[in-house]
Amino acid sequence: MKRRLLRGSLAPPENDSRSLLDAQRRDLPGEATMRRYRDDDEVDVCVVGAGAGGSVLAQRLARRGWSVVVLEAGPFWHPDRDWVSDEAGSHHLYWTERRVIGGTDPVELGKNNSGRGVGGSMVHFAGYVPRFHPSDFCTRTLDGVGADWPLRYPELAAHYERVELELPVAGQHWPWGDPHDYPHAPHPVSQAAQVVWRGAERLGIRMRVGPVAIVNGTFGNRPHCIYRGFCLQGCKVGAKASPLVTHLPDALAHGAEIRADCMASRVVLDSSGRASGVSYFARGELAERRQRARLVALACYSIETPRLLLNSAAPGFPGGLCNNEDQVGRYVMVQGATQSAGRFPDELRMYKGPPPEVSSEDFYETDPGRGFARGFSIQTVSPLPIGWAEHVAAEGHWGRGLREYMRDYNHWTTVGVLNEFLPQAENRVTLADDRDAHGLPVARFDHGLGENDRANQEYSGRIARHILEAAGAQDVLTIRRYAHLIGGARMGTAPDHSVVDRWQRTWAVENLYIADGSVCPTQGSANPALTIMALASRLAEHLAGRPPAA
Amino acid sequence: MPEIRLGEHLPNLRADHRPPHPSWLPRQRRGTTAQMIGRYPDYDVMENASSWDRATREVVEARLRPPSRMRFFGPSEEPTMRALCDTLLAQDRDPKVPVSEMVDSDLAEGKEDGFRYADMPPDETTWRLVLAGMDGLARRADWPDFAAASEPLREEVVGRFAAAELAAETLGGLNPERAFLVCMRWVLSAFYSHPWAWNEIGFGGPAYPRGYMRMSGVGLLEPHERPGATSEDPVGLAREWDE
């Protein structure tokens, strides 16, 4: 497991996406010639959602000769034309249809954490791809909080390594969790991130460059990063990983169909209680359609997977499919993502370079001396002007005061934390009274923090401030916020506390699987993308019934 | 004049916690900024437009075209909307970024941000209730409406709105804290999407396909960048150079 990878030009096994890409155009090759199935073809698997989980599953299974249809609610992107180097102009990358948020600490959705379209949220994720720590899989046993997973880290380690090669991940040797190396060398560090690094160093906090899913070397036709800073607006360059460039080219080359602009409305069961397909609305068509499938895998993430199950009530499942134990939509988690910005005499121009630069997991594990269980990670970020305006406004500035801080933009650098908030049954997705354009009830997400969560948030906020002060910050501005989603259909050892088993198969329907981040019982303080992909990779290997050729 | 390196212009670092009057700022010499003030007087982001990809250039240049007439807000709401946006962003003279028209256009097109607080109506309704609330508060102080009110009165009302000191009844029952955040979310994303605002703050703007050099050291400028204003007295400097 402690295998050391050779750096540079290592090729991932069984994934030719990098060479299938066109070096001069960003369109996904193969869209025009993609195999297309009819609704009444009984395909081997119908995957709902073309994001991190669904795309990896589709690519793996298409490679094994499975017939695959992926339904995706959003569009098939043509980045040269559809994406722009601009904050406000990137609004269409997010899931902007209405959802209702409530609870004592509501979580804003939309651009903050929700994607739409082929490639999913990774199209606009920052690019940080740390692994979960081995401890994340058994926090109940180790720390008396959260939940134990029905699998342990070693079962996922090979898939982490494989996905890191496929993205590929650039970064320094990683000393935390299960120590490991990355296939690509660390990127150069921007001036704004260097300042944070210096502050951390003075406090004895270890920082490392990366890990980011941004090409830094030779990798087929994927170009090198140009450090333009718009990772969160969709990488027009193609250097940052998303399934659009990492897995879907290979999936299409092996006969998978990505059916974009198709909003799944319900999972359909046959008279024996097996899933027989998925109903959906294709854009521009009024009549509901139905794709037949031998097996159904949901990969719509923590809000939409529970919503789809709850909208799929059927005889025998009056309160929503797989919900007879009242577990669907529960234990949805977000991470605390407080960001602190520090002011310095020199211009730092934090918009230059990728927002993800350097990070630390020195505070990841439980330290009884801190007074709360589990911990947080530290990562540099770099808001663009609209993000920076929201940061300044969060401290109550408006009018002239706001404009003054805004004009000072180039003198600031920003460091964020990711707190591991603990799973709570009442943090859950239910159906709201509001309906979408198809008449389907939209999701409502209620969220509240626990005592441990608040203590973690407070402590980590102080550390971020100390780092900036140690670096010599003259002024500090802080915004409290949340990031990422996980949970909502968690895996477990019995149906009374979970929705799926250790192989992500729903307890209630034998040929219905969940292949996204909603299956995670805990979240650590790592960004979830890599783990979602690794879990989908493991699931694919299980479904195909044999391990991948090395 | 505040010393920029020391951050003497920043509200948190000032004794009264208020920003200095913007008259300390240099006048814009190149390109346009809101109110023609800014910290990068010789920088015009639009001079880089030829290095941007076409899709991006079209999106950004569209913001510089004259704004269309308001469609979402009615004739009685329009002056209040303008006065509120001007006060929230301290746009006290021309040229102004047409924030109220930009917000109006997005509202008219049904743009949504992907969430609605369970205790709040849709954003469209929030805006209308807020505007009615601003007019009501101005009338309570004996002005005909918010737009006709004096600048100090408008600032006082918005200041109380920002500090969540308004009673829910004054805003048609809205949660005042959330209502303020809704308004700010819309106006900030309009104002800071505009190239005039980028000139004012020295933001590099779109950078594809050109990109940046591989991570320069602190203070190193690229040829297309311009230095920020400094606090030296230009007359004194010129004298030094002459001697």
Side-chain angles (χ1 to χ4, degrees):
Chain A
M1 199 164 62
K2 300 272 187 323
R3 175 170 15 135
R4 294 179 71 85
L5 296 166
L6 294 170
R7 286 191 192 281
S9 55
L10 266 190
E14 296 195 2
N15 184 345
D16 297 328
S17 292
R18 70 197 180 287
S19 15
L20 290 164
L21 293 169
D22 187 315
Q24 310 303 336
R25 296 165 67 241
R26 310 303 158 201
D27 283 0
L28 201 164
E31 183 192 354
T33 54
M34 169 172 80
R35 173 150 190 199
R36 290 177 196 276
Y37 293 91
R38 290 177 307 155
D39 281 346
D40 54 5
D41 288 336
E42 189 184 43
V43 293
D44 292 329
V45 59
C46 178
V47 180
V48 185
S55 299
V56 171
L57 184 67
Q59 183 264 342
R60 299 286 198 265
L61 293 177
R63 272 243 167 203
R64 302 302 168 80
W66 288 42
S67 53
V68 179
V69 167
V70 183
L71 300 176
E72 165 57 45
F76 211 124
W77 296 120
H78 305 99
D80 290 323
R81 185 179 82 212
D82 298 340
W83 297 354
V84 289
S85 265
D86 183 78
E87 267 183 297
S90 301
H91 193 257
H92 58 302
L93 299 185
Y94 316 120
W95 188 288
T96 54
E97 280 185 16
R98 183 171 304 165
R99 290 153 165 178
V100 178
I101 56 174
T104 53
D105 304 280
V107 174
E108 296 196 348
L109 301 170
K111 75 173 177 179
N112 185 32
N113 50 19
S114 304
R116 187 182 175 85
V118 176
S121 309
M122 280 181 79
V123 162
H124 61 81
F125 89 138
Y128 277 120
V129 280
R131 298 181 186 181
F132 280 17
H133 284 200
S135 66
D136 287 321
F137 297 80
C138 43
T139 62
R140 173 59 59 185
T141 300
L142 290 175
D143 302 300
V145 296
D148 287 356
W149 294 41
L151 63 104
R152 291 292 181 267
Y153 176 87
E155 285 184 62
L156 214 49
H159 297 281
Y160 274 138
E161 284 191 5
R162 187 172 168 193
V163 175
E164 283 165 357
L165 275 172
E166 292 175 291
L167 292 178
V169 185
Q172 290 181 316
H173 172 76
W174 205 245
W176 297 283
D178 173 29
H180 55 277
D181 285 323
Y182 287 111
H184 277 208
H187 285 275
V189 180
S190 70
Q191 37 187 336
Q194 283 172 32
V195 171
V196 174
W197 181 293
R198 201 166 63 218
E201 202 170 44
R202 284 182 188 148
L203 296 179
I205 298 170
R206 292 176 295 171
M207 298 293 283
R208 291 290 180 274
V209 184
V212 293
I214 303 174
V215 173
N216 191 20
T218 303
F219 196 70
N221 288 334
R222 285 268 300 284
H224 199 287
C225 179
I226 63 167
Y227 304 115
R228 89 197 151 116
F230 286 85
C231 296
L232 277 67
Q233 285 69 34
C235 186
K236 278 197 86 132
V237 181
K240 189 193 79 176
S242 84
L244 198 62
V245 291
T246 61
H247 289 83
L248 293 177
D250 194 69
L252 294 196
H254 288 86
E257 178 188 349
I258 312 295
R259 205 173 293 162
D261 293 312
C262 289
M263 176 67 192
S265 48
R266 58 191 291 127
V267 178
V268 184
L269 301 187
D270 65 16
S271 54
S272 70
R274 287 172 55 89
S276 61
V278 179
S279 293
Y280 65 97
F281 289 99
R283 196 168 73 145
E285 295 175 23
L286 280 178
E288 197 173 28
R289 290 166 59 175
R290 176 178 301 179
Q291 176 64 51
R292 293 179 66 216
R294 212 168 48 78
L295 186 147
V296 171
L298 306 184
C300 330
Y301 213 6
S302 294
I303 306 290
E304 296 300 320
T305 285
R307 176 188 175 206
L308 181 54
L309 289 172
L310 294 173
N311 273 334
S312 300
F317 297 101
L321 194 58
C322 305
N323 196 33
N324 287 355
E325 307 274 350
D326 194 26
Q327 291 298 303
V328 169
R330 290 194 182 276
Y331 304 102
V332 177
M333 290 162 273
V334 298
Q335 287 165 330
T338 303
Q339 294 179 354
S340 285
R343 202 272 177 184
F344 295 84
D346 290 310
E347 285 180 10
L348 301 174
R349 302 202 181 225
M350 64 176 158
Y351 60 83
K352 296 172 71 166
E357 289 274 332
V358 301
S359 53
S360 174
E361 292 180 353
D362 262 3
F363 299 88
Y364 197 106
E365 303 286 342
T366 299
D367 174 352
R370 298 200 291 254
F372 58 90
R374 305 304 295 162
F376 58 95
S377 59
I378 300 169
Q379 302 176 340
T380 56
V381 292
S382 47
L384 295 177
I386 295 172
W388 176 237
E390 287 165 358
H391 191 124
V392 170
E395 286 227 352
H397 297 289
W398 59 278
R400 277 186 187 158
L402 175 111
R403 291 276 294 279
E404 199 65 67
Y405 272 111
M406 291 304 299
R407 280 190 290 265
D408 211 46
Y409 176 57
N410 282 340
H411 288 262
W412 294 72
T413 187
T414 313
V415 60
V417 300
L418 288 180
N419 306 102
E420 174 174 352
F421 288 164
L422 301 175
Q424 297 182 56
E426 294 312 308
N427 287 346
R428 77 179 300 195
V429 169
T430 53
L431 296 179
D433 294 331
D434 304 42
R435 285 170 187 264
D436 69 10
H438 305 293
L440 304 169
V442 305
R444 173 182 170 130
F445 175 29
D446 285 285
H447 179 261
L449 296 181
E451 282 314 304
N452 196 79
D453 302 335
R454 287 188 203 285
N456 188 342
Q457 199 179 33
E458 288 295 328
Y459 185 95
S460 64
R462 287 200 298 276
I463 296 293
R465 192 182 183 94
H466 288 163
I467 289 174
L468 293 168
E469 286 169 352
Q474 300 159 300
D475 190 3
V476 174
L477 294 175
T478 296
I479 179 172
R480 284 220 172 160
R481 48 188 292 286
Y482 308 110
H484 306 138
L485 288 163
I486 210 158
R490 70 177 183 174
M491 60 168 98
T493 51
D496 65 350
H497 66 268
S498 58
V499 178
V500 298
D501 68 12
R502 66 189 308 273
W503 293 108
Q504 298 171 224
R505 175 159 79 167
T506 61
W507 294 110
V509 180
E510 65 169 327
N511 63 338
L512 176 60
Y513 289 77
I514 296 181
D516 61 36
S518 58
V519 302
C520 298
T522 62
Q523 60 175 343
S525 33
N527 317 54
L530 184 80
T531 298
I532 295 168
M533 286 185 143
L535 282 168
S537 175
R538 172 179 173 270
L539 170 59
E541 185 179 294
H542 171 72
L543 289 176
R546 59 193 168 96
Chain B
M1 182 171 177
E3 173 55 64
I4 289 174
R5 286 188 60 84
L6 297 178
E8 289 173 350
H9 52 293
L10 299 173
N12 287 353
L13 304 186
R14 296 171 68 84
D16 60 357
H17 287 268
R18 299 170 71 88
H21 189 275
S23 56
W24 76 277
L25 290 158
R27 298 282 299 171
Q28 195 69 13
R29 292 185 285 253
R30 212 157 172 163
T32 308
T33 64
Q35 292 76 58
M36 288 309 275
I37 51 175
R39 290 266 299 279
Y40 298 83
D42 298 310
Y43 173 64
D44 180 9
V45 69
M46 295 311 295
E47 288 178 9
N48 296 327
S50 62
S51 72
W52 306 341
D53 67 282
R54 196 170 123 197
T56 302
R57 201 167 64 231
E58 282 170 4
V59 163
V60 175
E61 285 176 347
R63 297 184 188 132
L64 291 168
R65 285 200 279 275
S68 46
R69 287 180 45 206
M70 291 211 195
R71 290 175 287 158
F72 177 80
F73 293 111
S76 64
E77 292 169 318
E78 206 176 304
T80 314
M81 179 63 182
R82 283 183 207 287
L84 176 60
C85 291
D86 285 353
T87 311
L88 284 171
L89 290 164
Q91 290 210 87
D92 54 3
R93 68 192 63 189
D94 288 331
K96 291 179 184 177
V97 172
V99 170
S100 30
E101 284 88 349
M102 293 165 84
V103 171
D104 176 275
S105 159
D106 282 343
L107 286 168
E109 279 157 27
K111 181 187 141 181
E112 291 206 42
D113 283 336
F115 57 91
R116 170 177 75 74
Y117 281 91
D119 60 357
M120 290 287 285
D123 288 1
E124 296 96 307
T125 312
T126 299
W127 270 111
R128 293 200 197 281
L129 291 173
V130 166
L131 296 188
M134 294 297 114
D135 280 340
L137 287 162
R139 278 195 286 271
R140 218 185 278 177
D142 292 328
W143 296 92
D145 55 41
F146 187 74
S150 67
E151 192 176 306
L153 189 275
R154 278 188 275 130
E155 293 205 343
E156 189 211 311
V157 167
V158 171
R160 285 165 55 207
F161 187 21
E165 290 167 8
L166 295 181
E169 307 84 74
T170 60
L171 298 174
L174 291 176
N175 174 331
E177 194 177 347
R178 292 213 209 291
F180 185 76
L181 294 177
V182 167
C183 296
M184 286 299 270
R185 175 153 47 81
W186 284 83
V187 302
L188 293 178
S189 79
F191 188 80
Y192 287 104
S193 72
H194 201 283
W196 295 356
W198 301 345
N199 287 342
E200 181 187 359
I201 71 175
F203 170 57
Y208 177 82
R210 185 184 56 201
Y212 294 113
M213 65 180 173
R214 304 257 143 98
M215 309 300 175
S216 53
V218 170
L220 258 178
L221 287 181
E222 298 188 50
H224 51 85
E225 294 169 335
R226 296 286 176 277
T230 58
S231 304
E232 287 93 355
D233 169 12
V235 178
L237 270 185
R239 240 179 243 138
E240 266 174 48
W241 290 336
D242 283 346
E243 281 161 11

